[in-house]
Amino acid sequence: MSTHEAANQALVIAIDGPAAAGKGTLARRLAAALGLPYLDTGLLYRAVGRRVLDLGADPAEPDAAAAAARSLVPEDLARGDLRGPAADAAAASVASIPAVRAALLEFQRGFATASGAVLDGRDIGTVIFPDAKVKLFVTATLPARARRRWAELAGKGTEVPLARVEADMRARDAMDAARLAAPLRPAADAVCLDTTALDPDAVFAQAMAAVRAARP
Ligand code: C5P
């Protein structure tokens, strides 16, 4: 084992927060800088939602969603249709079903077992890795997040009115925060980063400071 690997052993960085707050960008940069694997756990819920839609079933239906979660295979995460309004809504629906969350739990824990990892999602620091050494809660105002998502969609050629993006995001945030199963909230020991007025470099610098503080 190299010195770098030894230092990273069991280093789990849990990043939570609402949609389009900058979690993914930060998580990828931290993973690259620290030589850790990265898991975007939102993809798991998106892939489950897609599987249910493929079957013509309702993503809010617990049995159909749980069966889809149990039969998920890694290739599902590479599908090209996991983004966009339909996938967003289906993911948020299946994510509120406890049996779906239970079915995805071991995969997420197993991902970080060997060498540590950076994971981003909604409940990484509260449920999946409550003992993570580094917990970051990344947030930004709703208008700032909606504008980022809108620009991202426009960049891919998807024209959706900004007001619609903001309304969808508000509804999804409310579902994530209000659900009984693993609601979105910062862990008590999370470092909160508000990215509303920060560029990605500044967010990364603050996150690295938190990593260094946790791992002197
Ligand atoms: O992060 P992303 O927007 O891709 O997540 C899609 C949906 O999956 C979220 O709206 C949320 O409902 C759900 N999710 C979750 N727990 C996670 C990651 C995502 O409930 N750890």
Side-chain angles (χ1 to χ4, degrees):
M1 188 183 291
S2 71
T3 317
H4 191 54
E5 278 166 346
N8 276 342
Q9 205 173 28
L11 173 63
V12 173
I13 301 184
I15 305 182
D16 292 304
K23 302 186 299 292
T25 305
L26 174 62
R28 269 185 288 274
R29 281 187 73 170
L30 285 175
L34 297 166
L36 291 170
Y38 163 54
L39 180 63
D40 169 0
T41 66
L43 284 182
L44 300 171
Y45 296 89
R46 290 174 178 278
V48 172
R50 262 291 160 212
R51 269 188 167 244
V52 179
L53 293 176
D54 285 352
L55 294 170
D58 178 359
E61 209 283 298
D63 290 343
R70 285 187 211 107
S71 57
L72 205 68
V73 290
E75 296 78 65
D76 288 328
L77 305 185
R79 288 178 63 148
D81 56 0
L82 299 181
R83 308 264 168 208
D88 290 350
S93 284
V94 301
S96 67
I97 298 169
V100 169
R101 308 199 72 85
L104 300 178
L105 189 119
E106 285 314 318
F107 176 81
Q108 294 173 80
R109 290 201 176 142
F111 185 83
T113 305
S115 56
V118 181
L119 298 94
D120 75 31
R122 302 292 187 287
D123 63 341
I124 309 302
T126 51
V127 175
I128 309 296
F129 287 105
D131 298 328
K133 284 213 180 76
V134 181
K135 295 182 189 177
L136 304 171
F137 193 82
V138 181
T139 188
T141 63
L142 176 65
R145 292 186 290 113
R147 185 163 284 281
R148 286 177 198 163
R149 179 55 50 84
W150 173 79
E152 197 181 295
L153 288 168
K156 288 184 196 150
T158 309
E159 299 291 336
V160 188
L162 177 59
R164 158 97 193 279
V165 175
E166 188 166 323
D168 285 355
M169 200 170 262
R170 179 183 287 112
R172 201 148 65 91
D173 286 352
M175 272 179 85
D176 288 346
R179 70 182 176 215
L180 295 176
L184 171 66
R185 60 178 173 79
D189 51 350
V191 172
C192 288
L193 298 177
D194 185 332
T195 69
T196 307
L198 297 179
D199 66 19
D201 287 347
V203 177
F204 177 67
Q206 291 195 13
M208 281 301 281
V211 173
R212 278 188 219 101
R215 216 175 47 141

